[in-house]
Each structure stands twice: as C-alpha cells, then as structure tokens.
C-alpha cells in the first residue's frame, strides 16, 4: 500500500491470552486513540467499545484494517492491559470507556528486593530480558549487547522497569515495542526508516510547529559522577552556540551520568554537550499514518520552506482511531 495516499480504515480488538499470547474473543471499537513515547511505559490507549465486561482486567490487541484500491493491510497498533472503569448508557445503547496500559505495566508494578544490583561484566540485554521476565509478551534481543562496565545498584522504590531503563541507558541501547506487544532490545538506529518530502511522499499536514530552542542550549557542561568530574566546552568559532559566537558562557551540569561501555567521564562530557546542543530544533505536526515509523526511529524530512531538513528522531506519537489513522508526531533533530 501507498501510505501517503488515502485509505479506508476499520478498527477492532481481540482479547489476548497471556499464557499463549494468542487472540481469542473479538471486541468492536467505536473510537479512541493510542499514545506512544520514548520513556516509562512507552505506550497506552484510550478506546471506546461495545460489550466490554466492566471491572475485568485483561490483555487486548488493537488492529487497523486498511484498504486502498483493492490492496489491503492488517496492522497491529497496540497490545496491552485493559480495564474499563466506566460506561456510558444512552437508552438501550451502551459503550465502555476502556483504559489500556503498556505490556510494561506488569514490570513497573513489581518492586525489586532491597540490595538488588546488576554486576559489572553482565550482558546488558540479558539482564533487561530477565528483569522483564514477569511480562507475558515476547522479549527479543537484536544484536550483541555490550557488557556493563560498572555495577548498578537498585535505589529506594526501584521497580523491574526502572532498573531495566537504567541498564538500557548504561549500554546506550533502546527498547522498541511493536503493535503486537513484542519487546525488542536493540542498538539505537543510525539510518532512517522513512523519508517524507513534498514530492515523493508528502504526508505532513500544512500546519507545522517548529521550535528553535537554542537560547538555553549550553556551551559549557560539567559532568559529575561519584568523585569524578569533567568540564567540556564549545569554543569553536564555527559553532553558532559556542562561547566565541555568543560572547558568553551558558553552563549546564549533569549529575546523573550514564557512561557508555569503556567511556571516560571526559568523553561523556564532550558527547553529552554535543547531544544537548543538537536538541535545539524540534517540531510537531499531524501526518498520514505510516506503519513502519515508531517512537525512537529516525525519519528524513525534506521540507526546506518549513526549516525541516535532515534526520530527525521521533519522540512521541498519538494515533487517532478514526479516518485515515491521523498521527500527531513530535520530532527532534539528531
């Protein structure tokens, strides 16, 4: 299918058996939306459906069936825990408002034992997979994950999910959740999964909000980890954010450093300063649905008139379960 063109959309859901991860009973959806982010629980959904048993908690999987000029596509959009706290009754017509939580909710609800720690030398991805063993969804590891350089000790109130996120940060990997609920642990992307431009694949709506948040971008960063510290500076005359170009210093401090494998505190400070300076251009827009673009993925945009040119990372998405599965998206330059 050509997702940049219009298509008819139909939405429905299935109850999912957590033991087999297979679909059972079907649910009819009358509306709602799906939200995706790059941290915490990662995704959620709010839907309206008919004949949902109120007060029960179960896993569901939401599908989009798209049709376009004889072609069709069957796309899973979300899988997670669902509960129905309320219902609307209009005469004989009843609808249920169903709140759906990420498959990661199970791991977020379990506290680790006091004194739990992840030892240095352990495979980061293997540790995360073990931490997520309470989640019924499949967990896949793509590639060879780095080993942890230092031990990570659980803090007060540490959950299985929050510890998994700490390990994820330490090895500089990402967690990608598919529409079928599958959790993928993989390196951060280096290439785009899609390209949007006004000629070959024009999917963006005309209204675009572009934010150049350069005013508070630092040109000096102090990184502090335990008894180590390092200062990185941008003194380049070729950099528009440097101390030379701006004629002043703009400081930032990072006291929660997560070093990559084999990285020194000085190297971390230099890398993180560049990262903070890159996140000066962000944008929000509505676009046509594209099944291959998920949160955390890279997209290449060619909209020079709007100032959007180059590679961007998807920070968040909201998919309306309505005509054309309109997608609201937030991106940042990389």
């Amino acid at each position: 299918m050509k997702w940049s063109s219009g298509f008819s959309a139909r939405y429905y859901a299935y109850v999912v058996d957590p033991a087999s991860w297979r679909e059972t009973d079907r649910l009819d959806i009358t509306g709602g939306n799906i939200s995706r982010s790059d941290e915490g629980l990662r995704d959620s959904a709010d839907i309206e459906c008919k004949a949902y048993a109120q007060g029960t908690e179960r896993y569901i999987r939401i599908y989009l069936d798209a049709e376009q000029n004889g072609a069709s596509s069957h796309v899973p959009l979300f899988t997670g825990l669902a509960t129905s706290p309320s219902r609307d009754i209009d005469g004989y017509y009843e609808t249920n408002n169903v709140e759906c939580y990420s498959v990661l909710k199970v791991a977020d609800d379990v506290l680790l034992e006091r004194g739990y720690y992840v030892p240095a030398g352990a495979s980061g991805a293997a540790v995360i997979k073990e931490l997520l063993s309470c989640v019924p969804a499949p967990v896949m590891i793509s590639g060879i994950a780095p080993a942890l350089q230092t031990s990570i000790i659980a803090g007060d109130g540490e959950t299985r999910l929050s510890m998994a996120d700490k390990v994820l940060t330490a090895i500089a990997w990402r967690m990608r959740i598919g529409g079928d609920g599958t959790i993928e642990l993989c390196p951060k992307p280096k290439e785009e999964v899609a390209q949007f431009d006004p000629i070959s694949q024009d999917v963006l709506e005309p209204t675009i909000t572009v934010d150049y948040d350069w005013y508070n971008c630092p040109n000096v960063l102090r990184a502090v980890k335990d008894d180590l510290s390092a200062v990185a500076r941008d003194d380049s005359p070729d950099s528009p954010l440097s101390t030379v170009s701006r004629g002043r210093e703009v400081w930032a401090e990072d006291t929660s450093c997560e070093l990559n494998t084999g990285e020194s505190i000085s190297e971390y400070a230099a890398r993180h300063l560049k990262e903070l300076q890159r996140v000066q251009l962000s944008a929000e827009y509505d676009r046509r649905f594209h099944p291959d673009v998920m949160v955390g993925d890279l997209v290449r945009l060619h909209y020079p008139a709007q100032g959007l040119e180059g590679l961007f990372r998807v920070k968040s998405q909201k998919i309306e379960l309505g005509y054309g599965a309109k997608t609201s998206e937030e991106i940042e330059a990389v």
Side-chain angles (χ1 to χ4, degrees):
M1 286 185 56
K2 188 176 181 181
W3 293 101
S4 58
S5 301
F7 58 87
S8 62
R10 184 163 56 98
Y11 306 93
Y12 52 90
Y14 282 103
V15 175
V16 176
D17 177 14
S20 65
W21 210 235
R22 294 181 179 178
E23 299 158 2
T24 57
D25 301 331
R26 176 167 165 157
L27 302 171
D28 291 325
I29 294 176
T30 58
N33 60 76
I34 296 168
S35 299
R36 298 169 175 167
S37 66
D38 60 354
E39 60 184 7
L41 294 179
R42 269 75 172 180
D43 58 5
S44 64
D46 291 296
I47 62 173
E48 296 176 359
C49 66
K50 301 176 183 178
Y52 187 91
Q54 192 173 10
T56 62
E57 182 181 83
R58 49 188 173 176
Y59 288 90
I60 68 168
R61 180 170 297 136
I62 300 172
Y63 278 104
L64 158 67
D65 277 359
E67 295 186 3
Q68 179 190 84
N69 300 326
S72 62
S73 186
H74 181 60
V75 184
L77 296 177
F78 171 87
T79 302
L81 271 174
T83 182
S84 180
S86 64
R87 59 180 178 169
D88 296 326
I89 302 173
D90 183 4
Y92 294 102
Y93 186 77
E94 177 180 325
T95 59
N96 296 89
N97 300 311
V98 182
E99 296 179 356
C100 308
Y101 300 91
S102 164
V103 292
L104 296 174
K105 183 72 166 63
V106 177
D108 193 46
D109 285 341
V110 180
L111 289 174
L112 290 172
E113 295 181 3
R114 297 185 64 86
Y116 177 92
Y117 76 100
V118 180
S123 168
V127 169
I128 296 171
K129 187 172 183 177
E130 175 60 28
L131 286 166
L132 300 181
S133 60
C134 59
V135 178
V139 180
M140 302 171 53
I141 300 176
S142 299
I144 301 176
L148 290 167
Q149 295 299 300
T150 58
S151 300
I152 302 177
I153 303 173
D156 292 337
E158 196 84 70
T159 68
R160 283 177 169 262
L161 179 59
S162 64
M163 177 57 78
D165 280 332
K166 286 184 176 180
V167 177
L168 205 63
T169 300
I171 63 175
W173 269 32
R174 64 183 290 212
M175 188 188 298
R176 197 172 190 262
I177 304 180
D180 62 354
T182 300
I183 301 169
E184 181 186 11
L185 307 175
C186 56
K188 293 180 179 179
K190 296 182 180 179
E191 298 181 354
E192 69 269 21
V193 297
Q195 178 173 317
F196 304 144
D197 61 72
I199 300 175
S200 64
Q201 192 163 214
D202 188 14
V203 299
L204 271 62
E205 297 291 338
T207 302
I208 301 174
T209 301
V210 180
D211 184 14
Y212 295 92
D213 188 18
W214 63 270
Y215 185 75
N216 292 316
C217 273
N219 47 33
V220 184
L221 173 69
R222 178 165 58 211
V224 180
K225 184 175 179 63
D226 301 327
D227 58 346
L228 299 175
S229 66
V231 175
R233 300 177 58 88
D234 178 8
D235 296 321
S236 171
D238 298 325
S239 170
L241 300 173
S242 71
T243 58
V244 177
S245 299
R246 300 175 73 172
R248 67 189 183 96
E249 295 180 348
V250 181
W251 281 68
E253 185 173 57
D254 184 357
T255 59
S256 57
C257 307
E258 296 291 346
L259 277 60
N260 288 339
T261 303
E263 187 175 43
S264 68
I265 188 69
S266 298
E267 292 170 335
Y268 171 84
R271 172 175 65 85
H272 195 47
L273 177 59
K274 291 180 180 179
E275 291 174 349
L276 292 175
Q277 290 184 331
R278 279 201 299 267
V279 188
Q280 59 175 309
L281 172 60
S282 61
E284 297 179 21
Y285 51 75
D286 294 337
R287 63 165 174 81
R288 294 181 185 269
F289 175 76
H290 195 299
D292 296 332
V293 181
M294 304 287 286
V295 167
D297 288 341
L298 299 180
V299 293
R300 186 173 296 276
L301 301 185
H302 179 62
Y303 288 83
Q306 289 79 15
L308 299 177
E309 186 75 37
L311 275 178
F312 294 82
R313 186 180 71 87
V314 178
K315 290 185 64 179
S316 67
Q317 292 175 337
K318 186 173 183 178
I319 302 172
E320 295 291 337
L321 304 184
Y323 177 78
K326 183 180 76 172
T327 303
S328 300
E329 196 163 69
E330 181 183 5
I331 58 172
E332 64 182 11
V334 297

